């Protein structure tokens, strides 16, 4: 088996610094082995020699977001995994608690307009899923002005979204009836129909740059902003900047929707939060009652959860306090404290606290993914492998777990550690790659 090429550590450091400083990507997720694999797999023959990559980096560093060299790196490095109506129960909750009340309020106010932003839309599946919810609920859709914009850092992902063509696996949570109604099958692909296409547009956009991007020229405020599984890939300071940008684009009664694992009360303060099972909503504090918006939320994002003894914002910094016991912390507060421990470099404490949380909530796949991340950060490849298998046991359609397992298996096959007795297929136990040389760019 031919060993994979690797990239010179100095060049990896330059790439990492570029993506952390410009796009706020989480530095800990861009370790040398992972980053080298992404560059080799993503750039292919365009990787070239060390001098060629050095030249590509120099050009990319000074380019705008749509620069060709910068986009080559973005396509290689960023992770994209999505599907139509991903986590169907989440979309059903969104329809019940956001879409239906919004439509009713707009009808009562004599309005027929809705503006929605899918922030970090990848190849467009989420935006088309949102369009599907409105198309199914508006028999008079032609009389409405529904505008759904999806934005992403990656130009190739935006182009895929505009094409609106997906393989069957991407529609695995879409029922046959919905497929027949909203998509046209062409060989092994499904293309979004004209009704859905009329509701969506896609454009390039950097969430850390509120002064540019398509959102500045469309509608000044959005009724719904969906940003799921984006913040987890960012440095803490970048997460705060992004949430401030998103909150600033909300309409007076608009709603911001995040993934449960990202919904830290501290991060979204002072927005109001309401919980509906796995659906977590954030809204502006109401100034006055409006008949054209959504019902007010019940609790400020920074307020304690029920049964919570204290709020993380009131805790001393992680460097000044021991890891708290699990009992007084609700889930969102737990995630916030884990995030603070990770940012402070206290990985062992974060791992212990996460393990306690998993004992209390063994089917919480978000905690399992977090544990896998902590294990990888500490070099525990065997533990990470087992955690990701556990995530798939919880949810067999967990695309993120499948993608991470594939990447981990690739690294393990390359000799960077392997779970004993349960390693990747097609490699006998004890056949490590130690001592083999690797071509270096």
């Amino acid at each position: 088996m031919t060993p994979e090429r690797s990239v010179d550590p100095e060049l990896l450091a330059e790439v990492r610094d570029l993506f952390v400083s410009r796009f706020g990507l989480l530095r800990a997720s861009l370790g040398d082995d992972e980053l080298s694999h992404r560059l080799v797999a993503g750039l292919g023959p365009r990787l070239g020699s060390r001098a060629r990559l050095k030249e590509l980096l120099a050009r990319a560093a000074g380019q705008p977001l749509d620069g060709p060299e910068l986009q080559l790196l973005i396509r290689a490095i960023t992770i994209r995994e999505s599907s139509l109506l991903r986590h169907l129960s989440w979309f059903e909750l969104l329809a019940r608690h956001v879409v239906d009340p919004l439509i009713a309020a707009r009808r009562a106010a004599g309005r027929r307009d809705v503006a929605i932003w899918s922030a970090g839309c990848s190849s467009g599946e989420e935006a088309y899923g949102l369009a599907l919810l409105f198309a199914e609920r508006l028999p008079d859709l032609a009389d409405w002005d529904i505008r759904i914009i999806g934005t992403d850092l990656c130009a190739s992902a935006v182009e895929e979204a505009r094409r609106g063509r997906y393989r069957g696996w991407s529609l695995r949570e879409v029922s046959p009836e919905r497929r027949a109604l909203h998509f046209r099958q062409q060989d092994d692909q499904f293309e979004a129909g004209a009704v859905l296409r009329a509701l969506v547009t896609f454009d390039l956009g950097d969430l850390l740059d509120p002064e540019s991007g398509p959102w500045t020229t469309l509608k000044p405020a959005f009724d719904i902003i969906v940003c799921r599984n984006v913040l987890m890939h960012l440095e803490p300071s970048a997460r705060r900047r992004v949430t401030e940008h998103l909150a600033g684009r909300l309409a007076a009664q608009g709603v911001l929707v995040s993934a449960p694992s990202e919904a830290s009360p501290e991060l979204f303060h002072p927005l109001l939060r309401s919980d509906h099972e796995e659906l977590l909503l954030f809204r502006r504090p109401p100034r006055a009652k409006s008949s054209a918006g959504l019902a007010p939320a019940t609790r400020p994002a920074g307020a304690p959860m029920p049964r919570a003894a204290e709020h993380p914002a009131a805790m001393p910094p992680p460097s000044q306090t021991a890891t708290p016991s699990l009992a007084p912390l609700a889930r969102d507060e737990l995630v916030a404290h884990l995030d603070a421990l990770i940012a402070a470099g206290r990985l062992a404490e974060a791992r212990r606290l996460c393990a306690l949380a998993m004992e209390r909530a063994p089917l919480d796949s978000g905690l399992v993914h977090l544990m896998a991340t902590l294990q990888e950060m500490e070099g525990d490849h065997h533990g990470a492998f087992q955690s990701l298998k556990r995530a798939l046991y919880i949810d067999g359609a967990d695309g993120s777990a499948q993608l991470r397992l594939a990447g981990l298996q690739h690294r393990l096959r390359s000799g960077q550690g392997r779970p004993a007795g349960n390693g990747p297929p097609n490699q006998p136990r004890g056949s490590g790659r130690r001592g083999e040389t690797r071509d270096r760019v």
Side-chain angles (χ1 to χ4, degrees):
M1 180 177 178
T2 304
E4 182 182 89
R5 301 176 64 185
S6 65
V7 180
D8 186 280
E10 292 184 6
L11 293 181
L12 290 175
E14 290 186 35
V15 176
R16 182 163 44 244
D17 289 344
L18 172 63
F19 276 76
V20 172
S21 62
R22 181 154 181 182
F23 303 120
L25 293 192
L26 188 63
R27 184 178 294 273
S29 70
L30 299 175
D32 282 2
D33 292 327
E34 177 66 22
L35 188 54
S36 179
H37 168 64
R38 293 188 197 180
L39 287 170
V40 171
L43 293 179
R46 285 174 290 201
L47 184 60
S49 64
R50 185 184 191 282
R52 186 174 177 183
L53 179 57
K54 184 82 173 176
E55 181 182 0
L56 186 151
L57 274 171
R59 291 181 178 177
Q63 288 179 341
L65 184 58
D66 61 353
E69 283 77 18
L70 182 58
Q71 279 298 323
L72 277 177
L73 292 175
I74 289 174
R75 181 176 183 178
I77 291 172
T78 55
I79 296 175
R80 300 187 301 277
E81 204 288 325
S82 189
S83 60
L84 268 295
L85 300 182
R86 185 181 182 184
H87 300 144
L88 181 59
S89 61
W90 183 91
F91 272 90
E92 292 171 345
L93 289 169
L94 182 72
R96 185 185 317 152
H97 296 286
V98 177
V99 176
D100 291 345
L102 177 58
I103 291 174
R106 289 294 156 89
R107 288 192 185 279
R111 293 177 55 182
R112 297 291 187 273
D113 63 293
V114 177
I116 305 163
W117 179 14
S118 172
C121 68
S122 188
S123 45
E125 292 91 335
E126 180 178 82
Y128 285 114
L130 294 169
L132 186 150
L133 294 183
F134 279 89
E136 290 183 340
R137 283 159 172 77
L138 293 173
D140 55 343
L141 180 62
D143 298 330
W144 285 71
D145 179 16
I146 307 293
R147 299 187 183 185
I148 302 172
I149 181 168
T151 64
D152 199 87
L153 275 179
C154 184
S156 62
V158 170
E159 287 304 314
E160 288 181 38
R162 288 171 176 163
R163 287 193 292 270
R165 294 179 182 176
Y166 304 100
R167 296 192 179 277
W169 177 250
S170 293
L171 276 74
R172 57 189 179 273
E173 295 193 68
V174 181
S175 67
E177 295 77 16
R178 279 175 160 166
R179 289 190 189 191
L181 187 60
H182 298 290
F183 296 88
R184 294 190 300 270
Q185 184 170 3
Q186 298 181 343
D187 298 325
D188 62 340
Q189 292 190 324
F190 292 83
E191 182 176 355
V195 172
L196 299 187
R197 286 178 172 277
L199 305 182
V200 300
T201 58
F202 298 96
D203 213 330
L204 207 58
D206 179 2
L207 297 180
L208 281 178
D209 187 5
E211 302 305 320
S212 64
W215 44 77
T216 60
T217 59
L218 292 174
K219 191 177 178 70
F222 291 91
D223 302 297
I224 302 172
I225 299 177
V226 179
C227 185
R228 292 196 298 164
N229 303 319
V230 174
L231 300 176
M232 67 173 65
H233 297 294
L234 303 181
E235 287 286 319
S237 60
R239 294 175 203 167
R240 184 62 190 173
R241 289 171 57 192
V242 169
T243 54
E244 289 175 351
H245 177 197
L246 298 176
R249 297 289 174 189
L250 279 176
Q253 297 288 321
V255 59
L256 171 58
V257 191
S258 177
S261 60
E262 301 171 317
S264 159
E266 249 185 341
L267 187 60
F268 288 89
H269 186 77
L271 297 181
L272 300 176
R273 171 172 159 173
S274 58
D275 300 359
H276 307 278
E277 300 177 41
E278 61 189 287
L279 177 71
L280 306 184
L281 310 177
F282 295 89
R283 299 179 175 89
R284 292 180 183 276
R287 297 177 184 175
K289 187 175 180 181
S290 170
S291 61
L294 298 173
T298 59
R299 181 177 67 254
M305 292 281 287
R307 302 184 307 278
E310 55 182 344
H311 182 267
M315 295 178 182
S319 60
Q320 302 175 22
T321 182
T323 302
S325 63
L326 182 63
L329 292 181
R331 188 188 189 283
D332 57 344
E333 296 174 316
L334 169 71
V335 172
H337 194 76
L338 284 170
D339 186 63
L341 289 171
I342 293 169
R346 294 167 63 180
L347 301 183
E349 293 177 56
R351 185 169 169 175
R352 284 195 296 271
L353 186 59
C354 189
L356 288 172
M358 288 169 60
E359 289 180 10
R360 190 177 74 174
L363 297 182
D364 189 327
S365 61
L367 290 174
V368 177
H369 272 278
L370 180 56
M371 175 60 81
T373 298
L374 289 167
Q375 289 164 328
E376 286 196 86
M377 291 172 71
E378 290 192 309
D380 182 4
H381 301 290
H382 172 76
F385 190 86
Q386 295 301 324
S387 291
L388 292 172
K389 287 182 65 178
R390 176 175 174 173
L392 278 178
Y393 176 79
I394 294 171
D395 180 5
D398 187 340
S400 179
Q402 293 165 350
L403 188 66
R404 294 183 65 184
L405 266 176
L408 180 59
Q409 286 180 329
H410 174 86
R411 295 193 296 277
L412 295 171
R413 287 193 180 109
S414 299
Q416 301 161 23
R418 185 162 61 86
N422 205 5
N426 304 323
Q427 182 179 344
R429 291 188 62 180
S431 61
R433 311 191 63 82
R434 187 176 302 168
E436 293 190 2
T437 59
R438 306 168 90 193
D439 296 332
R440 187 172 296 283
V441 175

